[in-house]
Amino acid sequence: MMALAGYPLGIRSLFLDRSEDTPGAQVADTLVGGLEDPQLLAELAGRSDVLTFDWENISGKALAPLAHLSLIRPPAAALEISQDRLHEKALFRRLKIPVTPHRAVDDLVGLREATRVIGFPGVLKTRRLGYDGKGQFVLRGAADVSIAWDQLGGSGLIYEKFLRFSREISIVGARSQDDRIVSYPLTANTHAGGILRYSVAPYANAKLERLAVTYLRRVLKVLAYVGVAAIEFFVVGGRLIANEMAPRVHNSGHWTIEGAVTSQFENHLRAICELPLGSTRALGHTAMINFLGNLPDRRRLLAIDGLAYHDYGKEPRPGRKLGHCTIQRPRATDRDDALAATLKLIEWT
Ligand code: AMP
């Protein structure tokens, strides 16, 4: 999606990925190999004006030797902080952004202690490499402690209070090299099993939007960030509690391809290539639905007025994000009706 956004701007992409069979390789040249392979990274950097990511788990150590070959945006420090849930929460706290009560857990004794202090229910998560609900276990009571430990023990963990939130929202925005910051309207996200199912935007709540923008600006500024980033929040009693940040374009921002004047992908490229950032204004009311595990019938979906279909060309696997669709309407209520009708045609597997 980023490469496609670059074409009309005259920006060409070169990817590094672990196989030839990737969405990126369908639309741009791809170097195939390990994501931290020094030779491939050096080739990638040598052939590029700027290096960027749509995955945050590349080590700063692997990137350090590339700094003289190419610009690296966003900065490696932003990747490193968001690679570790504990560091991420420490950054939020330092910036006075509320977070869920949590404790680092390194052994079974530590887990017992964390559940004693924080209580039940709680979520045990791996500090690193967790995504889409992977590396997480919800503990409802003391009987779950050893089961959770058996499943996740061994790597660095974090235990956090399970929040009874009224909603999950995210803010997606971009910062340019010359410190301009733009943000999209808030997005309301519905997850199940830790995976994003669908998003709607704009989520109209002026107070929460002001708060989210304030928090996003703090994070982008302190990291001297360049590019698009997202922060996911829980809404609890009219407050925002930060869950995590993504130093990259974000699934909850996919609606901006059709639903905003400038998409998150284009704004990311504009930011990292030092072009003026584009308008983030919403064009009506949009819903984005993920295709998980299988692709729905394209013919039936395309018969829905104003629906845009995105097939990433990925091999189906249970729970894997294979594509998405967006639907737009001038009014929020009509968007919600169209969303409900479309959801009936989609089965998540
Ligand atoms: P994460 O990988 O942290 O984004 O978690 C994935 C999803 O799991 C979130 O979007 C929530 O729906 C749910 N979740 C994660 N942490 C918590 C929590 N502390 N309380 C309640 N739900 C959570």
Side-chain angles (χ1 to χ4, degrees):
M1 289 183 270
M2 209 189 292
L4 294 175
Y7 270 102
L9 301 179
I11 295 168
R12 296 292 173 261
S13 299
L14 172 67
F15 290 107
L16 170 61
D17 215 325
R18 281 174 286 213
S19 96
E20 272 164 3
D21 189 21
T22 59
Q26 297 167 41
V27 294
D29 289 343
T30 299
L31 307 176
V32 178
L35 298 183
E36 297 194 352
D37 180 311
Q39 264 175 354
L40 286 175
L41 280 173
E43 183 182 348
L44 190 71
R47 289 172 62 185
S48 309
D49 298 312
V50 53
L51 283 190
T52 193
F53 318 85
D54 71 358
W55 194 65
E56 60 265 40
N57 290 303
I58 313 281
S59 72
K61 225 161 84 194
L63 294 176
L66 310 178
H68 69 283
L69 293 174
S70 168
L71 292 169
I72 299 177
R73 289 174 169 167
L79 298 192
E80 287 188 311
I81 284 178
S82 57
Q83 282 164 10
D84 187 320
R85 291 181 188 275
L86 198 64
H87 296 165
E88 196 171 67
K89 282 189 166 52
L91 174 73
F92 287 145
R93 283 173 60 170
R94 189 151 66 83
L95 298 176
K96 309 232 172 323
I97 301 172
V99 294
T100 326
H102 61 277
R103 267 180 96 110
V105 168
D106 295 312
D107 50 33
L108 185 54
V109 176
L111 176 57
R112 284 195 208 291
E113 173 67 7
T115 59
R116 198 183 55 74
V117 175
I118 290 167
F120 296 104
V123 197
L124 185 65
K125 300 180 178 179
T126 54
R127 281 170 56 177
R128 295 177 161 272
L129 291 171
Y131 70 100
D132 284 351
K134 294 183 176 65
Q136 296 195 17
F137 193 103
V138 177
L139 287 83
R140 311 246 163 232
D144 291 335
V145 170
S146 54
I147 309 171
W149 179 256
D150 284 349
Q151 230 170 74
L152 298 180
S155 52
L157 300 169
I158 184 169
Y159 182 74
E160 53 183 65
K161 187 177 160 68
F162 188 90
L163 295 179
R164 311 248 177 243
F165 52 79
S166 56
R167 200 172 278 286
E168 290 188 80
I169 63 158
S170 55
I171 185 146
V172 176
R175 181 179 175 274
S176 63
Q177 177 69 9
D178 58 359
D179 200 29
R180 239 198 111 214
I181 294 176
V182 295
S183 58
Y184 290 93
L186 287 186
T187 305
N189 304 312
T190 300
H191 294 81
I195 308 182
L196 180 65
R197 306 292 158 141
Y198 57 90
S199 297
V200 294
Y203 172 61
N205 183 318
K207 184 186 146 221
L208 292 184
E209 175 137 355
R210 267 197 307 278
L211 212 49
V213 170
T214 304
Y215 294 158
L216 179 70
R217 293 181 71 91
R218 282 182 201 161
V219 170
L220 295 182
K221 275 179 177 283
V222 78
L223 294 172
Y225 196 91
V226 179
V228 162
I231 307 180
E232 293 183 80
F233 298 97
F234 301 120
V235 182
V236 182
R239 288 177 74 220
L240 290 182
I241 313 283
N243 179 29
E244 58 180 357
M245 69 167 284
R248 53 174 165 78
V249 289
H250 193 249
N251 193 176
S252 72
H254 286 6
W255 65 268
T256 61
I257 297 175
E258 293 85 15
V261 175
T262 314
S263 78
Q264 63 164 349
F265 300 98
E266 180 170 335
N267 259 336
H268 184 69
L269 292 173
R270 288 190 188 207
I272 66 171
C273 296
E274 297 181 20
L275 296 167
L277 298 179
S279 165
T280 49
R281 187 164 52 81
L283 301 166
H285 296 266
T286 305
M288 186 284 318
I289 311 174
N290 273 333
F291 303 150
L292 303 173
N294 70 94
L295 288 174
D297 185 342
R298 190 171 53 184
R299 197 168 284 279
R300 287 184 76 189
L301 254 67
L302 289 175
I304 295 170
D305 181 38
L307 183 140
Y309 190 93
H310 297 257
D311 172 352
Y312 308 155
K314 285 165 141 181
E315 205 48 48
R317 247 197 338 253
R320 192 174 195 203
K321 289 173 180 166
L322 302 180
H324 74 269
C325 65
T326 54
I327 327 157
Q328 244 178 297
R329 293 289 180 268
R331 292 194 322 189
T333 48
D334 295 338
R335 184 268 323 272
D336 293 342
D337 291 346
L339 168 64
T342 310
L343 283 171
K344 290 201 178 102
L345 302 178
I346 291 171
E347 196 192 352
W348 293 305
T349 54

